[in-house]
Structure formats: structure tokens, C-alpha cells
Amino acid sequence: MKLSIVRLDHSIAEIKTTTSPGIDVENLSRTVFDYLSCKSALEEPPSPRWYTFSRRNASDNSRLKETLIKSIMRYFKEPDRWTAFSSLLLKSVAFHRQTDPNMSVDVAKASLPVIDLPRTKFNRPFLPRTAAGNTLMRVADKEEVEECRESVMNVSHQFPYICMIQKQCSDHTTSSVQLPYDMIGCDLVTFEALLNKFSPTVTDFIESFVGCFTTSEWQAINNDARSLPRSNESILKEFYLRWAMKEAYTKALGVGFNIDFDSFETRLIGHDVDTTNVEGVWKPSDGIWGSIIKDMKHDKSNGRVEHQFSLVGQVIRMRVQNSDVVKGPKWEGEYWVFTFIPLVDDGLRESSIQSDNTASSGCICICKGPFNEEVFVTSSNSEQQHAIIENVTLLELIQLHGMNVADII
């Protein structure tokens, strides 16, 4: 699997420096879409002739271009508009990687149209099937469309970050080091309390989400290994990491917020519960963030931003949901791998390992599975189970689609 990460505040500054200080996302998006060819992923199958045809007839796609621009400008805040624009380009890259899994961000050779992906009935963008292989059936525009099972993708964002995880064909092997899995989801969180007049303190902010967690999960968020209250900083990190696990899991299922978060419980094997008794009583721990810190201290990466920490977990259904949203995997006896990737600023990489309060602006959680009950015996925090990470700028995403800086000015 490949994880692409865009740091938007840095990318926006780069674009304004290399083009025009006064350029905004509306001007940039119109310039880019006027220059590039846009295409619906459901319009025609990809082929060399199709690419040529698309670029020759870019003017015929004006309706789609306006639709895409409206999807960006419907947001009121400028950061949200930049995020929508970047997300659109990332999902287009995912489509092209479905055809060529080894495609990288090559600003010198690529010339590709911007692809608009279809969505499921739960509003999740997906990659339609374009080649032979196993597929999943999804509903888009009231018609059944086959989703490419070998190249499932998922996008998450929280300004100034945006990320995309994509399962690639090579991930679906059955070797002892690369376990097969059908579903993948990700969630990106930043460790910042969103305070307002309704939630003026960190405690108020956290407690507004109490209904989204089970009793055991809530205790793990608020108490440490000695059952003592955590500090506000520790509670905030544990809350966001627990939230990221739950959202990454629902996104892997493809349902997102269409399922109640308190209707299921995520348990980390060997962390929340003993490996010898998965259904047993929760055991106290220093928290997920504490485990990540310890792993970073022993890891030769020296706290680099690409550090990855994986734990096997099980999802337990707490009550029956009166909905048809979950029709995928069964609940009992299935395991999921949760991989955590701290987002550490460049200037903090070297110093982040020196303190127990490791500096990080946020974290990405990747959930993949389901696996059978023997997965936690064969799966470990090894590099074979980790994602291939690429840090890419917004300008590189534009250039990847065939537009240079000189064409933007």
C-alpha cells in the first residue's frame, strides 16, 4: 500500500512564491482546469487513444470543469477550498495508479487528464473497475458500478495535512510477510482542541464526544496505566488516536458516519486486552501515544516523520445497529491491523525522540483487514506490513497532470 501526504500550508506558500503572491484557489483551479483535460472515470475505459482524445477535446469538458470548480468553491473557508482542490488531484492520481501501480510523481514526463471519481450511496469516492480481477459492487448514480478491489483508495484531511492511502495489486499476495486483505481506510487527525463558546476548555471539547465511545474506550482515553487521570495534553492525544481508529475502520467498511460510533468497540490486542484472552477485561496501559513514543525511542529511524507503529485489533459489536449500512464482514472472530504514523515537523524530527512528550502536530491511522483469528500470531510491527510513504506537494500534483509552473503564471 502507498500513502501520499501533502502539507498544504507549505504547498500554498510554494505556489504563491513561484507564481503570483495574489493567486487564490479559485484562480488557480480555473487556470488548471482550463489548461488540463478533465474526464469522468465512468465515461470511457482508459487507453492511450483515450488520453490523446481527452487532451484534443478539452473544450468539450466545460460542464465537468464547472462542476469540479463548484465542488471546490462551495466551501466558505479558504483552507477548505485548498483541501478540496488537492483532494481532487490526489484521487485522480489514484485512478492513474490503478492502471500503473508503479507510477510516481514525475514532473518531467507525465501528461494525464484530471479524473473525477464516482461515489457510492454513502458518498465515498471509489475507483471503478478498469481491468480484469475480483471486484466489489458499489452503487453510483442509481446504477451498479464495479469497484476495483485490487486498488482500493481512501482520502482523509485536516488542514494543513491531506493524505491518501491506496491498496495496490502487489498488496494482495498470500506470502507469509504480506497478508491479504480486502478493505482499507485511513483517518488523519491533528492534536488541536477546537474550542468555541460552547466548548471553551479542552475538557468541554472532549466531553462533547462521550457518546461516540464505549465505556471502556472512554476510560482508556481519560485514565493512565495506574487508573489516574491523564493530563489534558495526554487526554487530547489519546482521544484523537481512539477516534482515528474508529473512523478509519468505518471508512474501510465504506460507510463512514452512517454507523453509530458507540455501536462498536475497538480493542488492541496486547495493549487494551491480553493476547491470551481477547474477550477478557481491559488491562491498564500508558495509552497508544505512550506506546508510539516507546517504539520511536527504540527505532533506528530516530523519530523521522515516516515512523510507523502497527497494532492488531479486534472490533466488537456492542449493539445491533438498526440499519443496512454494514453488510460486509462479519463482526466476530475478525482482526484488523491499525498502523499509526505520527506527523512530525521537519524541525522537530531530531528533538522529538528526546522527550516523553514527543512533539507531533498529528497522526495518521490506517486500518486494513479483515484477517482471520491467526493474524496476530503472524503479523507484527514489521516493515513488511507498513505503507510506502511519499511526501508530495500540490505543485507536483499539478505538474503530474501535465501542467508546468510557467503555464500557471
Side-chain angles (χ1 to χ4, degrees), residues 160-213:
Y161 296 99
I162 180 170
C163 71
M164 178 181 71
I165 189 68
Q166 185 172 11
K167 170 187 172 184
Q168 297 181 295
C169 296
S170 58
D171 295 341
H172 206 72
T173 65
T174 55
S175 68
S176 59
V177 295
Q178 195 73 48
L179 297 171
Y181 58 96
D182 292 327
M183 302 180 180
I184 189 169
C186 72
D187 188 46
L188 188 156
V189 292
T190 56
F191 299 142
E192 178 183 4
L194 304 179
L195 305 182
N196 52 49
K197 64 179 181 180
F198 302 105
S199 301
T201 67
V202 172
T203 300
D204 293 328
F205 170 73
I206 297 295
E207 289 184 348
S208 66
F209 292 92
V210 63
C212 299
F213 296 90

Side-chain angles (χ1 to χ4, degrees), residues 98-377:
Q98 176 185 358
T99 304
D100 180 11
N102 297 319
M103 186 188 79
S104 60
V105 179
D106 189 335
V107 299
K109 301 177 181 178
S111 180
L112 302 171
V114 175
I115 303 297
D116 181 38
L117 298 182
R119 292 178 177 266
T120 70
K121 64 179 180 181
F122 299 117
N123 201 36
R124 180 181 69 85
F126 69 95
L127 297 169
R129 181 187 181 189
T130 59
N134 295 327
T135 61
L136 295 173
M137 299 303 294
R138 299 293 184 186
V139 177
D141 298 330
K142 299 181 179 181
E143 295 183 1
E144 289 190 340
V145 178
E146 293 180 326
E147 180 178 17
C148 179
R149 188 171 183 175
E150 292 81 10
S151 191
V152 179
M153 52 76 65
N154 203 256
V155 175
S156 183
H157 52 78
Q158 182 67 50
F159 195 85
Y161 296 99
I162 180 170
C163 71
M164 178 181 71
I165 189 68
Q166 185 172 11
K167 170 187 172 184
Q168 297 181 295
C169 296
S170 58
D171 295 341
H172 206 72
T173 65
T174 55
S175 68
S176 59
V177 295
Q178 195 73 48
L179 297 171
Y181 58 96
D182 292 327
M183 302 180 180
I184 189 169
C186 72
D187 188 46
L188 188 156
V189 292
T190 56
F191 299 142
E192 178 183 4
L194 304 179
L195 305 182
N196 52 49
K197 64 179 181 180
F198 302 105
S199 301
T201 67
V202 172
T203 300
D204 293 328
F205 170 73
I206 297 295
E207 289 184 348
S208 66
F209 292 92
V210 63
C212 299
F213 296 90
T214 67
T215 301
S216 295
E217 288 172 334
W218 192 248
Q219 290 175 349
I221 289 172
N222 288 277
N223 299 320
D224 62 15
R226 297 169 295 174
S227 297
L228 297 176
R230 299 182 187 276
S231 66
N232 281 348
E233 181 182 359
S234 178
I235 290 176
L236 191 64
K237 283 185 170 67
E238 195 69 15
F239 159 75
Y240 272 121
L241 293 173
R242 296 279 176 181
W243 176 275
M245 286 176 61
K246 294 173 84 74
E247 186 166 346
Y249 170 74
T250 61
K251 291 171 76 172
L253 293 183
V255 299
F257 291 114
N258 290 284
I259 182 174
D260 294 336
F261 273 31
D262 67 334
S263 68
F264 65 94
E265 183 173 277
T266 54
R267 300 179 177 183
L268 297 175
I269 312 304
H271 189 276
D272 295 327
V273 294
D274 293 331
T275 56
T276 56
N277 186 8
V278 176
E279 300 297 334
V281 178
W282 279 56
K283 67 176 186 178
S285 73
D286 290 328
I288 301 173
W289 188 248
S291 297
I292 293 174
I293 291 176
K294 291 179 181 178
D295 192 69
M296 291 177 70
K297 288 181 179 293
H298 291 89
D299 188 51
K300 295 180 180 180
S301 64
N302 195 32
R304 68 177 187 273
V305 70
E306 294 87 358
H307 178 86
Q308 301 181 52
F309 178 71
S310 295
L311 289 167
V312 177
Q314 188 180 40
V315 178
I316 306 298
R317 179 170 55 179
M318 307 304 293
R319 70 172 190 273
V320 176
Q321 175 110 18
N322 295 322
S323 174
D324 64 348
V325 297
V326 181
K327 292 183 177 180
K330 62 183 181 179
W331 288 83
E332 306 300 334
E334 289 181 340
Y335 294 81
W336 300 75
V337 173
F338 294 91
T339 299
F340 300 92
I341 304 170
L343 297 169
V344 182
D345 292 336
D346 292 343
L348 298 175
R349 292 186 192 181
E350 185 174 349
S351 61
S352 65
I353 198 173
Q354 304 299 326
S355 169
D356 287 342
N357 295 320
T358 301
S360 175
S361 54
C363 191
I364 297 171
C365 177
I366 301 170
C367 173
K368 64 178 181 178
F371 302 102
N372 60 40
E373 60 183 338
E374 297 179 353
V375 67
F376 66 89
V377 177

Side-chain angles (χ1 to χ4, degrees), residues 11-43:
S11 292
I12 295 170
E14 178 188 27
I15 287 176
K16 292 186 176 183
T17 300
T18 56
T19 58
S20 170
I23 193 169
D24 58 21
V25 66
E26 181 175 10
N27 293 331
L28 178 62
S29 61
R30 288 191 176 277
T31 301
V32 170
F33 291 138
D34 283 342
Y35 180 89
L36 295 173
S37 170
C38 299
K39 205 76 170 179
S40 168
L42 299 178
E43 187 171 340

